[in-house]
Amino acid sequence: MDSKPDARSHWGTGEKGAQNPPGSGFLLPPANSTRVNRTIHDGCIGIRRSRDTTGIPGPPFYRKEFEEAYRLIIDDYQVTPKEIALFLPCAVKKPYSQSPSHRLFRRVIDDVLDPADYHIVIFGTCGTVPAELECMHPFRNYRYMLGKTVDWRVLRDFHRIEVYRLRGYLEKTRDTYRRRLAYCIGPFRAAMGEASEDAGIVVDLLPTDATIERLYDTKSPFPEGSLSMPAYIDEFREGLMRLSRSPAEIPGK
């Protein structure tokens, strides 16, 4: 996964003979950041949505179109500077913002933070995706749940690929945000922790290890539970409240 395929060799570049991603339902603009940002800002605005939201089978992180989409974001997309980056795990329902879990997360976020202060980034089996791009192909066009996977090779590969993609995004946005928080458990949390360490960029992880251990249920098919559980949500809210305070108000700062 060290190679970095050129997204523009397969996605529309505005050049003669350029191809669009299969099933995308829209043309990508020429590959310069100003045009890219103007065309795909605010996610679904200005983009023809693909009607097929489950057309990509199997683990998406192996697929070429997800690597190409990732390279487009890393190489060409300008992320607007914000005080805070909030990393949320991807969801089965698309677009992510319409899933029950993300609706809950966003209600909690909006209760605490000013929208002008934060930027949401989705990560997981989709790669690393600024939330405003959630309707882009291929992010809207797959259905996959890593939590049901029992093949250790798939889990191993996911970790390696996602660490690479998260590290790349953290490095790209090193000076874009002042503070970062990731709300995640399981393999997503492990990938974020390693990527943060590799990049040398601090990302606060919630819920805390202590709370995860306290709620761990060996009899459940998902031992760590769900991020929608009240105890996890309470810690998420508390973490957001800490972020909402200026550094001068935070003890030890």
Side-chain angles (χ1 to χ4, degrees):
M1 292 306 302
D2 291 332
S3 61
K4 298 180 179 180
D6 184 356
R8 288 166 288 185
S9 65
H10 296 280
W11 285 32
T13 63
E15 300 172 359
K16 185 176 181 180
Q19 299 296 314
N20 301 310
S24 64
F26 66 94
L27 290 172
L28 281 177
N32 66 75
S33 57
T34 302
R35 180 76 179 278
V36 167
N37 280 52
R38 185 168 64 247
T39 303
I40 62 180
H41 80 290
D42 291 336
C44 302
I45 298 176
I47 293 179
R48 290 175 55 200
R49 305 184 191 185
S50 171
R51 294 180 180 178
D52 180 7
T53 61
T54 59
I56 298 176
F61 40 88
Y62 287 126
R63 296 184 63 92
K64 185 176 183 179
E65 56 262 53
F66 281 82
E67 176 62 17
E68 292 172 341
Y70 170 75
R71 292 308 328 164
L72 177 73
I73 291 168
I74 296 299
D75 297 335
D76 293 307
Y77 186 66
Q78 290 183 344
V79 180
T80 301
K82 295 282 186 176
E83 177 73 15
I84 300 165
L86 299 176
F87 292 86
L88 301 178
C90 57
V92 174
K93 182 177 175 60
K94 313 296 185 300
Y96 308 117
S97 60
Q98 298 305 306
S99 69
S101 59
H102 277 242
R103 287 184 175 184
L104 172 60
F105 302 159
R106 286 172 178 262
R107 284 199 301 271
V108 174
I109 293 167
D110 289 340
D111 283 346
V112 177
L113 298 179
D114 185 330
D117 291 339
Y118 69 84
H119 181 222
I120 294 176
V121 183
I122 311 301
F123 75 105
T125 57
C126 59
T128 308
V129 185
E132 64 271 21
L133 306 185
E134 65 175 4
C135 287
M136 278 182 58
H137 178 86
F139 308 126
R140 188 182 167 93
N141 299 84
Y142 74 101
R143 185 179 181 87
Y144 181 74
M145 190 172 182
L146 187 69
K148 293 183 177 180
T149 301
V150 295
D151 188 332
W152 67 268
R153 291 165 297 187
V154 173
L155 294 171
R156 175 202 62 194
D157 291 347
F158 164 76
H159 181 81
R160 291 176 177 175
I161 294 168
E162 186 60 7
V163 168
Y164 145 71
R165 289 176 175 162
L166 281 169
R167 182 176 63 241
Y169 186 85
L170 290 173
E171 291 171 346
K172 170 187 173 70
T173 57
R174 183 180 297 273
D175 299 319
T176 304
Y177 316 112
R178 291 186 60 193
R179 290 171 286 180
R180 299 163 181 82
L181 185 152
Y183 186 52
C184 50
I185 53 179
F188 292 10
R189 184 185 186 88
M192 178 60 82
E194 184 170 329
S196 171
E197 183 176 355
D198 288 353
I201 296 173
V202 175
V203 180
D204 295 333
L205 298 178
L206 286 177
T208 61
D209 290 337
T211 299
I212 294 173
E213 292 173 5
R214 177 169 59 85
L215 298 179
Y216 197 88
D217 182 0
T218 57
K219 297 180 181 179
S220 170
F222 303 102
E224 293 184 343
S226 162
L227 285 171
S228 298
M229 292 166 59
Y232 288 162
I233 288 292
D234 287 345
E235 280 204 331
F236 185 41
R237 186 186 301 275
E238 292 169 3
L240 294 172
M241 292 177 68
R242 288 193 294 271
L243 286 179
S244 71
R245 299 156 62 187
S246 69
E249 295 175 305
I250 300 176
K253 295 292 183 179

PDB file of all heavy atoms in Angstrom, residues 86-120:
ATOM      1  N   LEU A  86     -13.358  16.660  14.075  1.00  0.00           N
ATOM      2  CA  LEU A  86     -14.068  15.571  14.738  1.00  0.00           C
ATOM      3  C   LEU A  86     -14.109  14.378  13.792  1.00  0.00           C
ATOM      4  O   LEU A  86     -14.710  14.449  12.719  1.00  0.00           O
ATOM      5  CB  LEU A  86     -15.489  15.995  15.102  1.00  0.00           C
ATOM      6  CG  LEU A  86     -15.620  17.174  16.073  1.00  0.00           C
ATOM      7  CD1 LEU A  86     -17.085  17.543  16.256  1.00  0.00           C
ATOM      8  CD2 LEU A  86     -14.973  16.845  17.421  1.00  0.00           C
ATOM      9  N   PHE A  87     -13.469  13.290  14.178  1.00  0.00           N
ATOM     10  CA  PHE A  87     -13.422  12.083  13.357  1.00  0.00           C
ATOM     11  C   PHE A  87     -14.496  11.107  13.844  1.00  0.00           C
ATOM     12  O   PHE A  87     -14.480  10.681  15.002  1.00  0.00           O
ATOM     13  CB  PHE A  87     -12.045  11.431  13.448  1.00  0.00           C
ATOM     14  CG  PHE A  87     -10.948  12.235  12.803  1.00  0.00           C
ATOM     15  CD1 PHE A  87     -10.291  13.228  13.515  1.00  0.00           C
ATOM     16  CD2 PHE A  87     -10.581  12.001  11.486  1.00  0.00           C
ATOM     17  CE1 PHE A  87      -9.272  13.975  12.925  1.00  0.00           C
ATOM     18  CE2 PHE A  87      -9.570  12.739  10.888  1.00  0.00           C
ATOM     19  CZ  PHE A  87      -8.918  13.732  11.605  1.00  0.00           C
ATOM     20  N   LEU A  88     -15.418  10.767  12.941  1.00  0.00           N
ATOM     21  CA  LEU A  88     -16.509   9.852  13.259  1.00  0.00           C
ATOM     22  C   LEU A  88     -16.426   8.624  12.360  1.00  0.00           C
ATOM     23  O   LEU A  88     -16.088   8.740  11.178  1.00  0.00           O
ATOM     24  CB  LEU A  88     -17.863  10.531  13.045  1.00  0.00           C
ATOM     25  CG  LEU A  88     -18.146  11.798  13.855  1.00  0.00           C
ATOM     26  CD1 LEU A  88     -19.521  12.353  13.481  1.00  0.00           C
ATOM     27  CD2 LEU A  88     -18.071  11.525  15.351  1.00  0.00           C
ATOM     28  N   PRO A  89     -16.758   7.442  12.877  1.00  0.00           N
ATOM     29  CA  PRO A  89     -16.695   6.225  12.056  1.00  0.00           C
ATOM     30  C   PRO A  89     -17.790   6.198  11.008  1.00  0.00           C
ATOM     31  O   PRO A  89     -18.878   6.756  11.201  1.00  0.00           O
ATOM     32  CB  PRO A  89     -16.876   5.105  13.082  1.00  0.00           C
ATOM     33  CG  PRO A  89     -17.647   5.742  14.196  1.00  0.00           C
ATOM     34  CD  PRO A  89     -17.179   7.169  14.262  1.00  0.00           C
ATOM     35  N   CYS A  90     -17.506   5.552   9.886  1.00  0.00           N
ATOM     36  CA  CYS A  90     -18.499   5.437   8.824  1.00  0.00           C
ATOM     37  C   CYS A  90     -19.680   4.592   9.297  1.00  0.00           C
ATOM     38  O   CYS A  90     -19.610   3.910  10.323  1.00  0.00           O
ATOM     39  CB  CYS A  90     -17.876   4.841   7.567  1.00  0.00           C
ATOM     40  SG  CYS A  90     -17.098   3.226   7.801  1.00  0.00           S
ATOM     41  N   ALA A  91     -20.772   4.648   8.551  1.00  0.00           N
ATOM     42  CA  ALA A  91     -22.001   3.945   8.913  1.00  0.00           C
ATOM     43  C   ALA A  91     -22.490   3.117   7.735  1.00  0.00           C
ATOM     44  O   ALA A  91     -22.158   3.399   6.581  1.00  0.00           O
ATOM     45  CB  ALA A  91     -23.076   4.950   9.330  1.00  0.00           C
ATOM     46  N   VAL A  92     -23.304   2.109   8.029  1.00  0.00           N
ATOM     47  CA  VAL A  92     -23.844   1.261   6.968  1.00  0.00           C
ATOM     48  C   VAL A  92     -24.811   2.049   6.093  1.00  0.00           C
ATOM     49  O   VAL A  92     -24.781   1.959   4.867  1.00  0.00           O
ATOM     50  CB  VAL A  92     -24.544   0.022   7.570  1.00  0.00           C
ATOM     51  CG1 VAL A  92     -25.241  -0.783   6.480  1.00  0.00           C
ATOM     52  CG2 VAL A  92     -23.528  -0.854   8.301  1.00  0.00           C
ATOM     53  N   LYS A  93     -25.665   2.857   6.701  1.00  0.00           N
ATOM     54  CA  LYS A  93     -26.636   3.645   5.941  1.00  0.00           C
ATOM     55  C   LYS A  93     -25.938   4.824   5.271  1.00  0.00           C
ATOM     56  O   LYS A  93     -25.091   5.478   5.871  1.00  0.00           O
ATOM     57  CB  LYS A  93     -27.749   4.155   6.862  1.00  0.00           C
ATOM     58  CG  LYS A  93     -28.832   4.953   6.134  1.00  0.00           C
ATOM     59  CD  LYS A  93     -29.944   5.361   7.076  1.00  0.00           C
ATOM     60  CE  LYS A  93     -30.968   6.262   6.391  1.00  0.00           C
ATOM     61  NZ  LYS A  93     -31.616   5.610   5.245  1.00  0.00           N
ATOM     62  N   LYS A  94     -26.307   5.084   4.018  1.00  0.00           N
ATOM     63  CA  LYS A  94     -25.745   6.193   3.258  1.00  0.00           C
ATOM     64  C   LYS A  94     -26.856   7.166   2.865  1.00  0.00           C
ATOM     65  O   LYS A  94     -27.983   6.736   2.604  1.00  0.00           O
ATOM     66  CB  LYS A  94     -25.042   5.671   1.998  1.00  0.00           C
ATOM     67  CG  LYS A  94     -24.109   4.491   2.213  1.00  0.00           C
ATOM     68  CD  LYS A  94     -22.935   4.828   3.102  1.00  0.00           C
ATOM     69  CE  LYS A  94     -21.965   3.655   3.200  1.00  0.00           C
ATOM     70  NZ  LYS A  94     -22.542   2.426   3.750  1.00  0.00           N
ATOM     71  N   PRO A  95     -26.538   8.458   2.786  1.00  0.00           N
ATOM     72  CA  PRO A  95     -25.276   9.045   3.216  1.00  0.00           C
ATOM     73  C   PRO A  95     -25.110   8.936   4.730  1.00  0.00           C
ATOM     74  O   PRO A  95     -26.095   8.809   5.456  1.00  0.00           O
ATOM     75  CB  PRO A  95     -25.378  10.498   2.752  1.00  0.00           C
ATOM     76  CG  PRO A  95     -26.841  10.773   2.702  1.00  0.00           C
ATOM     77  CD  PRO A  95     -27.482   9.489   2.283  1.00  0.00           C
ATOM     78  N   TYR A  96     -23.878   9.002   5.190  1.00  0.00           N
ATOM     79  CA  TYR A  96     -23.583   8.770   6.599  1.00  0.00           C
ATOM     80  C   TYR A  96     -24.404   9.671   7.515  1.00  0.00           C
ATOM     81  O   TYR A  96     -24.868   9.247   8.573  1.00  0.00           O
ATOM     82  CB  TYR A  96     -22.097   9.009   6.875  1.00  0.00           C
ATOM     83  CG  TYR A  96     -21.162   8.266   5.962  1.00  0.00           C
ATOM     84  CD1 TYR A  96     -20.295   8.951   5.116  1.00  0.00           C
ATOM     85  CD2 TYR A  96     -21.127   6.874   5.941  1.00  0.00           C
ATOM     86  CE1 TYR A  96     -19.422   8.280   4.277  1.00  0.00           C
ATOM     87  CE2 TYR A  96     -20.258   6.190   5.101  1.00  0.00           C
ATOM     88  CZ  TYR A  96     -19.407   6.902   4.264  1.00  0.00           C
ATOM     89  OH  TYR A  96     -18.555   6.233   3.434  1.00  0.00           O
ATOM     90  N   SER A  97     -24.577  10.924   7.120  1.00  0.00           N
ATOM     91  CA  SER A  97     -25.259  11.892   7.979  1.00  0.00           C
ATOM     92  C   SER A  97     -26.713  11.529   8.239  1.00  0.00           C
ATOM     93  O   SER A  97     -27.319  12.037   9.186  1.00  0.00           O
ATOM     94  CB  SER A  97     -25.184  13.294   7.368  1.00  0.00           C
ATOM     95  OG  SER A  97     -25.805  13.320   6.094  1.00  0.00           O
ATOM     96  N   GLN A  98     -27.285  10.644   7.409  1.00  0.00           N
ATOM     97  CA  GLN A  98     -28.677  10.248   7.582  1.00  0.00           C
ATOM     98  C   GLN A  98     -28.830   8.949   8.367  1.00  0.00           C
ATOM     99  O   GLN A  98     -29.952   8.492   8.595  1.00  0.00           O
ATOM    100  CB  GLN A  98     -29.351  10.108   6.214  1.00  0.00           C
ATOM    101  CG  GLN A  98     -29.390  11.407   5.427  1.00  0.00           C
ATOM    102  CD  GLN A  98     -30.037  12.535   6.208  1.00  0.00           C
ATOM    103  OE1 GLN A  98     -31.162  12.397   6.686  1.00  0.00           O
ATOM    104  NE2 GLN A  98     -29.331  13.648   6.349  1.00  0.00           N
ATOM    105  N   SER A  99     -27.738   8.352   8.786  1.00  0.00           N
ATOM    106  CA  SER A  99     -27.821   7.128   9.581  1.00  0.00           C
ATOM    107  C   SER A  99     -28.277   7.477  10.998  1.00  0.00           C
ATOM    108  O   SER A  99     -28.031   8.588  11.488  1.00  0.00           O
ATOM    109  CB  SER A  99     -26.462   6.435   9.632  1.00  0.00           C
ATOM    110  OG  SER A  99     -25.546   7.195  10.406  1.00  0.00           O
ATOM    111  N   PRO A 100     -28.957   6.563  11.687  1.00  0.00           N
ATOM    112  CA  PRO A 100     -29.401   6.851  13.060  1.00  0.00           C
ATOM    113  C   PRO A 100     -28.253   7.237  13.989  1.00  0.00           C
ATOM    114  O   PRO A 100     -28.394   8.163  14.803  1.00  0.00           O
ATOM    115  CB  PRO A 100     -30.053   5.533  13.494  1.00  0.00           C
ATOM    116  CG  PRO A 100     -30.513   4.904  12.219  1.00  0.00           C
ATOM    117  CD  PRO A 100     -29.458   5.259  11.201  1.00  0.00           C
ATOM    118  N   SER A 101     -27.117   6.556  13.870  1.00  0.00           N
ATOM    119  CA  SER A 101     -25.997   6.867  14.764  1.00  0.00           C
ATOM    120  C   SER A 101     -25.445   8.264  14.496  1.00  0.00           C
ATOM    121  O   SER A 101     -25.188   9.034  15.432  1.00  0.00           O
ATOM    122  CB  SER A 101     -24.892   5.823  14.612  1.00  0.00           C
ATOM    123  OG  SER A 101     -24.409   5.777  13.277  1.00  0.00           O
ATOM    124  N   HIS A 102     -25.280   8.626  13.241  1.00  0.00           N
ATOM    125  CA  HIS A 102     -24.716   9.939  12.932  1.00  0.00           C
ATOM    126  C   HIS A 102     -25.687  11.064  13.262  1.00  0.00           C
ATOM    127  O   HIS A 102     -25.261  12.164  13.643  1.00  0.00           O
ATOM    128  CB  HIS A 102     -24.291  10.003  11.465  1.00  0.00           C
ATOM    129  CG  HIS A 102     -22.940   9.415  11.231  1.00  0.00           C
ATOM    130  ND1 HIS A 102     -21.875  10.136  10.742  1.00  0.00           N
ATOM    131  CD2 HIS A 102     -22.467   8.164  11.461  1.00  0.00           C
ATOM    132  CE1 HIS A 102     -20.809   9.360  10.663  1.00  0.00           C
ATOM    133  NE2 HIS A 102     -21.148   8.150  11.083  1.00  0.00           N
ATOM    134  N   ARG A 103     -26.972  10.810  13.138  1.00  0.00           N
ATOM    135  CA  ARG A 103     -27.939  11.823  13.565  1.00  0.00           C
ATOM    136  C   ARG A 103     -27.799  12.088  15.058  1.00  0.00           C
ATOM    137  O   ARG A 103     -27.859  13.240  15.502  1.00  0.00           O
ATOM    138  CB  ARG A 103     -29.355  11.365  13.226  1.00  0.00           C
ATOM    139  CG  ARG A 103     -29.685  11.437  11.736  1.00  0.00           C
ATOM    140  CD  ARG A 103     -31.128  11.060  11.480  1.00  0.00           C
ATOM    141  NE  ARG A 103     -31.497  11.235  10.083  1.00  0.00           N
ATOM    142  CZ  ARG A 103     -32.713  11.051   9.601  1.00  0.00           C
ATOM    143  NH1 ARG A 103     -33.690  10.674  10.413  1.00  0.00           N
ATOM    144  NH2 ARG A 103     -32.966  11.237   8.317  1.00  0.00           N
ATOM    145  N   LEU A 104     -27.615  11.015  15.826  1.00  0.00           N
ATOM    146  CA  LEU A 104     -27.407  11.168  17.265  1.00  0.00           C
ATOM    147  C   LEU A 104     -26.107  11.917  17.538  1.00  0.00           C
ATOM    148  O   LEU A 104     -26.082  12.872  18.331  1.00  0.00           O
ATOM    149  CB  LEU A 104     -27.373   9.790  17.928  1.00  0.00           C
ATOM    150  CG  LEU A 104     -26.971   9.758  19.408  1.00  0.00           C
ATOM    151  CD1 LEU A 104     -27.939  10.578  20.254  1.00  0.00           C
ATOM    152  CD2 LEU A 104     -26.911   8.310  19.902  1.00  0.00           C
ATOM    153  N   PHE A 105     -25.021  11.502  16.896  1.00  0.00           N
ATOM    154  CA  PHE A 105     -23.729  12.164  17.118  1.00  0.00           C
ATOM    155  C   PHE A 105     -23.819  13.655  16.797  1.00  0.00           C
ATOM    156  O   PHE A 105     -23.311  14.500  17.552  1.00  0.00           O
ATOM    157  CB  PHE A 105     -22.638  11.538  16.244  1.00  0.00           C
ATOM    158  CG  PHE A 105     -22.430  10.062  16.438  1.00  0.00           C
ATOM    159  CD1 PHE A 105     -21.820   9.297  15.448  1.00  0.00           C
ATOM    160  CD2 PHE A 105     -22.844   9.418  17.598  1.00  0.00           C
ATOM    161  CE1 PHE A 105     -21.620   7.941  15.609  1.00  0.00           C
ATOM    162  CE2 PHE A 105     -22.650   8.050  17.775  1.00  0.00           C
ATOM    163  CZ  PHE A 105     -22.041   7.314  16.764  1.00  0.00           C
ATOM    164  N   ARG A 106     -24.463  13.982  15.690  1.00  0.00           N
ATOM    165  CA  ARG A 106     -24.540  15.379  15.264  1.00  0.00           C
ATOM    166  C   ARG A 106     -25.420  16.208  16.200  1.00  0.00           C
ATOM    167  O   ARG A 106     -25.154  17.400  16.405  1.00  0.00           O
ATOM    168  CB  ARG A 106     -25.038  15.462  13.818  1.00  0.00           C
ATOM    169  CG  ARG A 106     -23.970  15.050  12.797  1.00  0.00           C
ATOM    170  CD  ARG A 106     -24.539  14.942  11.392  1.00  0.00           C
ATOM    171  NE  ARG A 106     -23.523  14.586  10.413  1.00  0.00           N
ATOM    172  CZ  ARG A 106     -22.884  15.457   9.634  1.00  0.00           C
ATOM    173  NH1 ARG A 106     -23.146  16.752   9.734  1.00  0.00           N
ATOM    174  NH2 ARG A 106     -21.985  15.046   8.761  1.00  0.00           N
ATOM    175  N   ARG A 107     -26.452  15.601  16.764  1.00  0.00           N
ATOM    176  CA  ARG A 107     -27.260  16.331  17.748  1.00  0.00           C
ATOM    177  C   ARG A 107     -26.414  16.684  18.966  1.00  0.00           C
ATOM    178  O   ARG A 107     -26.492  17.807  19.490  1.00  0.00           O
ATOM    179  CB  ARG A 107     -28.472  15.496  18.171  1.00  0.00           C
ATOM    180  CG  ARG A 107     -29.588  15.443  17.149  1.00  0.00           C
ATOM    181  CD  ARG A 107     -30.903  15.005  17.788  1.00  0.00           C
ATOM    182  NE  ARG A 107     -30.817  13.691  18.412  1.00  0.00           N
ATOM    183  CZ  ARG A 107     -31.067  12.551  17.784  1.00  0.00           C
ATOM    184  NH1 ARG A 107     -31.394  12.562  16.495  1.00  0.00           N
ATOM    185  NH2 ARG A 107     -30.991  11.396  18.422  1.00  0.00           N
ATOM    186  N   VAL A 108     -25.614  15.726  19.416  1.00  0.00           N
ATOM    187  CA  VAL A 108     -24.744  15.979  20.563  1.00  0.00           C
ATOM    188  C   VAL A 108     -23.727  17.070  20.226  1.00  0.00           C
ATOM    189  O   VAL A 108     -23.500  17.997  21.014  1.00  0.00           O
ATOM    190  CB  VAL A 108     -24.022  14.680  20.986  1.00  0.00           C
ATOM    191  CG1 VAL A 108     -23.010  14.961  22.090  1.00  0.00           C
ATOM    192  CG2 VAL A 108     -25.034  13.635  21.450  1.00  0.00           C
ATOM    193  N   ILE A 109     -23.125  16.963  19.055  1.00  0.00           N
ATOM    194  CA  ILE A 109     -22.129  17.958  18.632  1.00  0.00           C
ATOM    195  C   ILE A 109     -22.752  19.349  18.561  1.00  0.00           C
ATOM    196  O   ILE A 109     -22.199  20.328  19.080  1.00  0.00           O
ATOM    197  CB  ILE A 109     -21.533  17.564  17.267  1.00  0.00           C
ATOM    198  CG1 ILE A 109     -20.704  16.284  17.398  1.00  0.00           C
ATOM    199  CG2 ILE A 109     -20.664  18.696  16.711  1.00  0.00           C
ATOM    200  CD1 ILE A 109     -20.338  15.659  16.060  1.00  0.00           C
ATOM    201  N   ASP A 110     -23.918  19.449  17.934  1.00  0.00           N
ATOM    202  CA  ASP A 110     -24.554  20.757  17.750  1.00  0.00           C
ATOM    203  C   ASP A 110     -25.043  21.356  19.063  1.00  0.00           C
ATOM    204  O   ASP A 110     -25.208  22.574  19.168  1.00  0.00           O
ATOM    205  CB  ASP A 110     -25.714  20.647  16.760  1.00  0.00           C
ATOM    206  CG  ASP A 110     -25.236  20.424  15.328  1.00  0.00           C
ATOM    207  OD1 ASP A 110     -24.060  20.725  15.049  1.00  0.00           O
ATOM    208  OD2 ASP A 110     -26.037  19.943  14.504  1.00  0.00           O
ATOM    209  N   ASP A 111     -25.284  20.504  20.061  1.00  0.00           N
ATOM    210  CA  ASP A 111     -25.671  21.009  21.379  1.00  0.00           C
ATOM    211  C   ASP A 111     -24.508  21.689  22.092  1.00  0.00           C
ATOM    212  O   ASP A 111     -24.720  22.500  23.002  1.00  0.00           O
ATOM    213  CB  ASP A 111     -26.186  19.865  22.263  1.00  0.00           C
ATOM    214  CG  ASP A 111     -27.604  19.448  21.913  1.00  0.00           C
ATOM    215  OD1 ASP A 111     -28.282  20.196  21.178  1.00  0.00           O
ATOM    216  OD2 ASP A 111     -28.025  18.361  22.365  1.00  0.00           O
ATOM    217  N   VAL A 112     -23.281  21.341  21.683  1.00  0.00           N
ATOM    218  CA  VAL A 112     -22.101  21.794  22.425  1.00  0.00           C
ATOM    219  C   VAL A 112     -21.250  22.789  21.640  1.00  0.00           C
ATOM    220  O   VAL A 112     -20.798  23.801  22.187  1.00  0.00           O
ATOM    221  CB  VAL A 112     -21.230  20.586  22.838  1.00  0.00           C
ATOM    222  CG1 VAL A 112     -19.964  21.052  23.558  1.00  0.00           C
ATOM    223  CG2 VAL A 112     -22.027  19.628  23.720  1.00  0.00           C
ATOM    224  N   LEU A 113     -21.028  22.511  20.360  1.00  0.00           N
ATOM    225  CA  LEU A 113     -20.072  23.297  19.583  1.00  0.00           C
ATOM    226  C   LEU A 113     -20.761  24.214  18.579  1.00  0.00           C
ATOM    227  O   LEU A 113     -21.841  23.907  18.072  1.00  0.00           O
ATOM    228  CB  LEU A 113     -19.118  22.366  18.831  1.00  0.00           C
ATOM    229  CG  LEU A 113     -18.225  21.452  19.666  1.00  0.00           C
ATOM    230  CD1 LEU A 113     -17.365  20.586  18.746  1.00  0.00           C
ATOM    231  CD2 LEU A 113     -17.344  22.248  20.616  1.00  0.00           C
ATOM    232  N   ASP A 114     -20.093  25.298  18.274  1.00  0.00           N
ATOM    233  CA  ASP A 114     -20.517  26.205  17.209  1.00  0.00           C
ATOM    234  C   ASP A 114     -20.094  25.590  15.875  1.00  0.00           C
ATOM    235  O   ASP A 114     -18.923  25.227  15.709  1.00  0.00           O
ATOM    236  CB  ASP A 114     -19.837  27.561  17.407  1.00  0.00           C
ATOM    237  CG  ASP A 114     -20.306  28.613  16.414  1.00  0.00           C
ATOM    238  OD1 ASP A 114     -20.672  28.257  15.275  1.00  0.00           O
ATOM    239  OD2 ASP A 114     -20.280  29.802  16.773  1.00  0.00           O
ATOM    240  N   PRO A 115     -21.007  25.449  14.911  1.00  0.00           N
ATOM    241  CA  PRO A 115     -20.640  24.857  13.615  1.00  0.00           C
ATOM    242  C   PRO A 115     -19.458  25.542  12.940  1.00  0.00           C
ATOM    243  O   PRO A 115     -18.748  24.914  12.148  1.00  0.00           O
ATOM    244  CB  PRO A 115     -21.918  25.015  12.787  1.00  0.00           C
ATOM    245  CG  PRO A 115     -23.018  25.043  13.798  1.00  0.00           C
ATOM    246  CD  PRO A 115     -22.444  25.767  14.988  1.00  0.00           C
ATOM    247  N   ALA A 116     -19.239  26.805  13.241  1.00  0.00           N
ATOM    248  CA  ALA A 116     -18.118  27.521  12.632  1.00  0.00           C
ATOM    249  C   ALA A 116     -16.774  27.029  13.150  1.00  0.00           C
ATOM    250  O   ALA A 116     -15.730  27.317  12.547  1.00  0.00           O
ATOM    251  CB  ALA A 116     -18.253  29.022  12.896  1.00  0.00           C
ATOM    252  N   ASP A 117     -16.795  26.270  14.250  1.00  0.00           N
ATOM    253  CA  ASP A 117     -15.543  25.886  14.904  1.00  0.00           C
ATOM    254  C   ASP A 117     -15.058  24.482  14.563  1.00  0.00           C
ATOM    255  O   ASP A 117     -13.921  24.138  14.883  1.00  0.00           O
ATOM    256  CB  ASP A 117     -15.696  25.979  16.430  1.00  0.00           C
ATOM    257  CG  ASP A 117     -15.825  27.410  16.907  1.00  0.00           C
ATOM    258  OD1 ASP A 117     -15.413  28.326  16.168  1.00  0.00           O
ATOM    259  OD2 ASP A 117     -16.355  27.609  18.020  1.00  0.00           O
ATOM    260  N   TYR A 118     -15.904  23.647  13.949  1.00  0.00           N
ATOM    261  CA  TYR A 118     -15.488  22.258  13.770  1.00  0.00           C
ATOM    262  C   TYR A 118     -15.707  21.764  12.346  1.00  0.00           C
ATOM    263  O   TYR A 118     -16.496  22.308  11.583  1.00  0.00           O
ATOM    264  CB  TYR A 118     -16.216  21.341  14.758  1.00  0.00           C
ATOM    265  CG  TYR A 118     -17.699  21.185  14.511  1.00  0.00           C
ATOM    266  CD1 TYR A 118     -18.189  20.263  13.586  1.00  0.00           C
ATOM    267  CD2 TYR A 118     -18.628  21.945  15.221  1.00  0.00           C
ATOM    268  CE1 TYR A 118     -19.544  20.113  13.360  1.00  0.00           C
ATOM    269  CE2 TYR A 118     -19.990  21.804  15.007  1.00  0.00           C
ATOM    270  CZ  TYR A 118     -20.439  20.889  14.074  1.00  0.00           C
ATOM    271  OH  TYR A 118     -21.784  20.747  13.847  1.00  0.00           O
ATOM    272  N   HIS A 119     -14.983  20.699  12.031  1.00  0.00           N
ATOM    273  CA  HIS A 119     -15.099  20.012  10.743  1.00  0.00           C
ATOM    274  C   HIS A 119     -15.200  18.523  11.026  1.00  0.00           C
ATOM    275  O   HIS A 119     -14.387  17.968  11.769  1.00  0.00           O
ATOM    276  CB  HIS A 119     -13.868  20.294   9.878  1.00  0.00           C
ATOM    277  CG  HIS A 119     -13.908  19.637   8.533  1.00  0.00           C
ATOM    278  ND1 HIS A 119     -12.806  19.023   7.968  1.00  0.00           N
ATOM    279  CD2 HIS A 119     -14.917  19.493   7.633  1.00  0.00           C
ATOM    280  CE1 HIS A 119     -13.135  18.552   6.779  1.00  0.00           C
ATOM    281  NE2 HIS A 119     -14.410  18.817   6.555  1.00  0.00           N
ATOM    282  N   ILE A 120     -16.201  17.866  10.451  1.00  0.00           N
ATOM    283  CA  ILE A 120     -16.384  16.425  10.635  1.00  0.00           C
ATOM    284  C   ILE A 120     -15.682  15.673   9.512  1.00  0.00           C
ATOM    285  O   ILE A 120     -15.804  16.025   8.333  1.00  0.00           O
ATOM    286  CB  ILE A 120     -17.878  16.062  10.670  1.00  0.00           C
ATOM    287  CG1 ILE A 120     -18.537  16.663  11.920  1.00  0.00           C
ATOM    288  CG2 ILE A 120     -18.073  14.545  10.638  1.00  0.00           C
ATOM    289  CD1 ILE A 120     -20.032  16.437  11.999  1.00  0.00           C
TER     290      ILE A 120
END
